[in-house]
Amino acid sequence: MEDKKSLIIAIDGPAGSGKSTTAHLLAKRLGYLYLDTGAMYRTLTWKALKDKVNIKDEKALSQLAKKIQICLKPGSNVETKVYLDNKDVTSLIRSPQVNKYVSLVSIVKGVREAMVAQQKKLGKNGGIVAEGRDTTTVVFPEADIKIFLNASLEERVERRWKEEKTKGIFSNKEKVAAGLLKRDRIDSQRKISPLKISEEAIVIDNTHLSISQTVDKILKQVKKTVK
Ligand code: DC
């Protein structure tokens, strides 16, 4: 039987598909490391905005991506704690401003190369649940289990809108939908590592599933894989 600790589980999907919560809980259940790759792109975007780096300056963004020290640690609730040079940036990287620019920062070749190299290093010994847009296709094409998580646009908007409300951000659903659609478009149509369904991926539509039902579905797959 394969050592349960050594599996690589990769989950991709669009914004609001419940990837982060699913991946976090799944990692907890398995005692695995949870790798939130989106948080890494968000942290870089936050830092670039803070340092007033021109978002169109690919060279400057790539240099920043190579230089910064991002550290992910399990938090007490469903959120992973994100540190940049020892500063806790967990909530700062979820701001509407970061939401707006992160897709643009993550299309830069040098940025992706630096991030993917860090992610591969973190996963090299397995025992990891990696989540993002390209974890099944580019970061861990050798993953033992590949999942593509999706939900209807309506449901994704509802989830994102509620999430923002709990953070005191009062937006309207039309605005949230426009933001999600724009990110979906940039993430899926970019030249480098677009969001797409890997051939070996198991597609789970969780529009009508709770997070624990989604996690259970993936755990069934884990059981099959380690048998
Ligand atoms: O999953 P998220 O919403 O936190 O991701 C934020 C952005 O980061 C998303 O719009 C695209 C980018 N991203 C990416 O390009 N590749 C990944 N593996 C993860 C996220």
Side-chain angles (χ1 to χ4, degrees):
M1 190 165 120
E2 191 175 347
D3 177 10
K4 190 177 115 195
K5 281 280 167 203
S6 69
L7 291 189
I8 296 178
I9 303 173
I11 305 176
D12 287 333
S17 60
K19 298 183 304 293
S20 301
T21 323
T22 302
H24 180 92
L25 290 180
L26 183 66
K28 224 173 172 180
R29 292 275 292 270
L30 294 167
Y32 279 18
L33 175 75
Y34 163 44
L35 177 57
D36 179 352
T37 61
M40 296 173 70
Y41 290 96
R42 285 175 176 277
T43 304
L44 175 66
T45 306
W46 177 80
K47 174 77 172 156
L49 290 168
K50 184 175 162 285
D51 290 358
K52 303 206 173 1
V53 172
N54 180 350
I55 295 295
K56 289 190 178 140
D57 186 343
E58 300 200 353
K59 203 170 160 202
L61 287 172
S62 306
Q63 277 169 352
L64 189 62
K66 270 196 200 149
K67 195 171 78 183
I68 65 171
Q69 293 285 327
I70 303 169
C71 179
L72 304 174
K73 287 187 190 160
S76 51
N77 54 16
V78 290
E79 210 161 44
T80 295
K81 286 272 177 204
V82 187
Y83 297 87
L84 172 66
D85 303 326
N86 293 323
K87 177 185 165 65
D88 184 349
V89 294
T90 312
S91 48
L92 296 170
I93 64 166
R94 308 273 163 199
S95 70
Q97 180 82 342
V98 171
N99 283 346
K100 188 170 168 192
Y101 289 105
V102 65
S103 281
L104 295 175
V105 171
S106 52
I107 54 178
V108 177
K109 189 167 174 263
V111 164
R112 300 209 70 83
E113 283 169 359
M115 295 289 138
V116 169
Q118 278 197 38
Q119 292 154 13
K120 280 183 185 283
K121 231 190 237 172
L122 286 166
K124 72 178 188 314
N125 296 324
I128 193 167
V129 180
E131 166 262 301
R133 302 294 188 290
D134 60 347
T135 65
T136 59
T137 53
V138 176
V139 188
F140 299 115
E142 76 283 19
D144 302 283
I145 298 175
K146 300 180 187 181
I147 305 286
F148 189 93
L149 218 52
N150 210 347
S152 68
L153 177 66
E154 214 181 10
E155 178 63 23
R156 294 192 291 125
V157 169
E158 185 72 23
R159 289 174 187 169
R160 194 44 58 94
W161 178 76
K162 278 189 188 150
E163 187 188 318
E164 292 191 354
K165 214 167 94 179
T166 60
K167 288 181 187 151
I169 303 165
F170 297 96
S171 194
N172 61 54
K173 289 188 188 171
E174 286 72 31
K175 219 171 152 190
V176 175
L180 278 187
L181 280 172
K182 189 170 176 204
R183 274 174 59 201
D184 282 357
R185 186 168 39 78
I186 300 176
D187 295 348
S188 313
Q189 294 180 358
R190 66 185 180 211
K191 282 203 190 92
I192 315 164
S193 311
L195 170 69
K196 62 175 184 205
I197 305 177
S198 140
E199 266 179 33
E200 298 112 29
I202 299 161
V203 180
I204 300 177
D205 183 324
N206 67 5
T207 306
H208 303 293
L209 297 180
S210 67
I211 291 296
S212 62
Q213 285 171 322
T214 310
V215 171
D216 284 345
K217 263 185 181 273
I218 303 174
L219 280 173
K220 272 193 193 140
Q221 209 52 47
V222 173
K223 274 198 188 129
K224 268 194 211 163
T225 309
V226 295
K227 230 186 218 166

